[in-house]
Amino acid sequence: MSEQIVLTGIKPTGTPHMGNYIGALHPLIEMAKTRKTFVFIADLHALNIIHDPNQIRQHTYEIAAILLALGLNLENATLFRQSDIVQVSQLSTMLMNVTPKGLMNRAHSYKAAVEKNMASGADVDAGVNMGLYTYPILMAADILLYNTDVVPVGADQKQHVEFARDIAGYFNHTYGEIFKLPEPVISADAGIIPGLDGRKMSKSYDNIIPLFAPESELKKKIMRIITDSKLPDEPKNPDESTIFQLYRQFANADEIADMRARFERGGMGYGDAKRILFEKINSVLSAPRAEYERLMSNTSELDNVLASGAARARAVAEKTYERVHRAMLG
Ligand code: TRP
């Protein structure tokens, strides 16, 4: 097993859907089969968006239950809740003092908020809280606290990981070589996962397929995928079909080649293609779905898993924080 430490965080701001599964959760589970991985639920990072503790708790359980139901390897993966490790907040406070304000001004998400305000004539910082503004510092603390080498993230998070690397560099320059410099790894491109209407699957487009919907709902959603109006006999382009794009995420190589041929040959209607897609997804996800439901009605089991993950994470966090404290305060 590689000795490199992999770390990633998942924000509990919504119920993960099939696009999240394909783009992030499934690759993470695959990675944890062979590599030492820290996986945490970034509940502190959710605070600048969600102000209802019950919602954060609910989404935290959902994410933990999904990962466990899909078979996350808990020997390699340390699964925990970000807020269970107080050292991350302490480290964040320390890192504030080596982080130039100008770096935060350049953060994409802060800049987007400012630009929106300017466009609407509002005060530049309207609606921006310090949780949003200092988000990259807390994220740097997440990454540096666990001696992380690589951070698999979506392209939208690349800048944050680069900031963590910059902040580690500023710190080391002043206080000596305390931190490793982390590298972002942009998740192997699963392509853009289309939703029901063919646009990127996203809660904000209201086009998602739930990951663990009951069978009948899953079927209904799949039958509702929008297609062009080609007749059954006509040849179809698999690369422009949402049905095929989803199918290839769940089927094996032979099945994918076979499906591609059926699209290109003509003779298969979209209704049939959707039924085949449903059967495939359902066969892959029905056992995890049952396990997910079991876990969601046994949240004390989830609490136990998160508590033992926190104990493992804390052992590492305490050591790193101790070194930082000594370097900065003697
Ligand atoms: N900011 C990440 C997101 O929105 C979540 C996150 C928080 C994270 N801390 C992290 C990801 C540390 C990787 C490493 O998706």
Side-chain angles (χ1 to χ4, degrees):
M1 192 164 93
S2 151
E3 279 306 302
Q4 280 205 329
I5 295 173
V6 179
L7 170 139
T8 199
I10 304 165
K11 241 186 335 183
T13 47
T15 305
H17 54 69
M18 196 166 286
N20 302 135
Y21 163 76
I22 295 168
L25 303 176
H26 182 66
L28 178 60
I29 287 165
E30 289 298 308
M31 173 127 44
K33 285 183 178 164
T34 55
R35 306 185 69 174
K36 185 164 181 205
T37 314
F38 287 92
V39 183
F40 64 92
I41 301 165
D43 54 353
L44 297 172
H45 273 120
L47 287 174
N48 81 78
I49 303 172
I50 303 191
H51 294 147
D52 171 4
N54 294 322
Q55 260 190 58
I56 295 181
R57 160 171 293 262
Q58 173 70 14
H59 294 318
T60 297
Y61 280 143
E62 287 167 355
I63 293 165
I66 288 173
L67 290 171
L68 295 175
L70 291 167
L72 180 70
N73 175 329
L74 287 179
E75 260 167 54
N76 291 338
T78 300
L79 174 65
F80 63 104
R81 197 189 246 132
Q82 182 187 29
S83 63
D84 279 344
I85 310 300
V86 293
Q87 285 80 6
V88 80
S89 304
Q90 296 178 307
L91 179 57
S92 187
T93 299
M94 297 308 219
L95 295 179
M96 300 262 174
N97 301 289
V98 295
T99 304
K101 177 168 178 284
L103 195 66
M104 299 299 98
N105 292 341
R106 296 210 311 271
H108 297 320
S109 50
Y110 172 65
K111 266 173 55 182
V114 167
E115 277 158 22
K116 206 168 146 204
N117 283 333
M118 284 176 24
S120 71
D123 181 89
V124 285
D125 282 327
V128 175
N129 60 40
M130 290 304 284
L132 171 65
Y133 191 63
T134 62
Y135 188 108
I137 304 178
L138 178 58
M139 187 154 156
D142 288 327
I143 294 170
L144 301 178
L145 193 54
Y146 303 101
N147 307 313
T148 306
D149 295 290
V150 291
V151 187
V153 281
D156 64 321
Q157 296 295 314
K158 181 163 179 257
Q159 187 197 41
H160 286 149
V161 181
E162 288 164 353
F163 280 6
R165 191 182 167 88
D166 293 342
I167 293 171
Y170 298 137
F171 188 98
N172 288 352
H173 182 74
T174 309
Y175 292 107
E177 296 296 309
I178 302 278
F179 293 125
K180 285 202 243 176
L181 303 187
E183 298 271 3
V185 173
I186 306 309
S187 357
D189 193 8
I192 290 176
I193 309 303
L196 296 177
D197 60 0
R199 292 186 293 173
K200 178 182 157 66
M201 193 184 292
S202 160
K203 209 171 58 171
S204 51
Y205 292 150
D206 195 20
N207 66 356
I208 66 149
I209 302 177
L211 182 56
F212 289 141
E215 208 170 297
S216 58
E217 189 189 333
L218 177 64
K219 188 165 198 173
K220 241 190 256 161
K221 290 273 184 193
I222 288 175
M223 296 315 284
R224 224 175 272 158
I225 291 173
I226 293 174
T227 65
D228 59 30
S229 51
K230 292 217 168 72
L231 299 170
D233 278 348
E234 292 180 77
K236 302 173 181 65
N237 182 351
D239 298 311
E240 284 175 4
S241 164
T242 301
I243 303 170
F244 182 76
Q245 294 311 314
L246 293 173
Y247 185 76
R248 62 197 289 248
Q249 300 294 339
F250 290 89
N252 66 34
D254 286 347
E255 293 166 329
I256 296 169
D258 187 49
M259 184 62 119
R260 175 176 285 282
R262 294 176 76 172
F263 264 78
E264 288 171 348
R265 206 188 303 131
M268 173 183 63
Y270 283 125
D272 285 339
K274 288 175 180 178
R275 270 184 285 278
I276 298 170
L277 173 64
F278 163 73
E279 294 299 339
K280 176 48 62 186
I281 294 182
N282 197 47
S283 73
V284 174
L285 292 183
S286 65
R289 174 170 56 219
E291 176 62 0
Y292 173 78
E293 274 155 18
R294 190 189 71 75
L295 288 164
M296 287 303 285
S297 49
N298 285 281
T299 51
S300 62
E301 195 173 321
L302 296 172
D303 286 329
N304 289 338
V305 171
L306 292 171
S308 56
R312 273 162 67 167
R314 194 173 295 116
V316 178
E318 278 171 349
K319 279 200 197 124
T320 308
Y321 183 74
E322 171 65 29
R323 292 166 66 214
V324 171
H325 190 99
R326 221 179 310 122
M328 293 184 88
L329 290 166

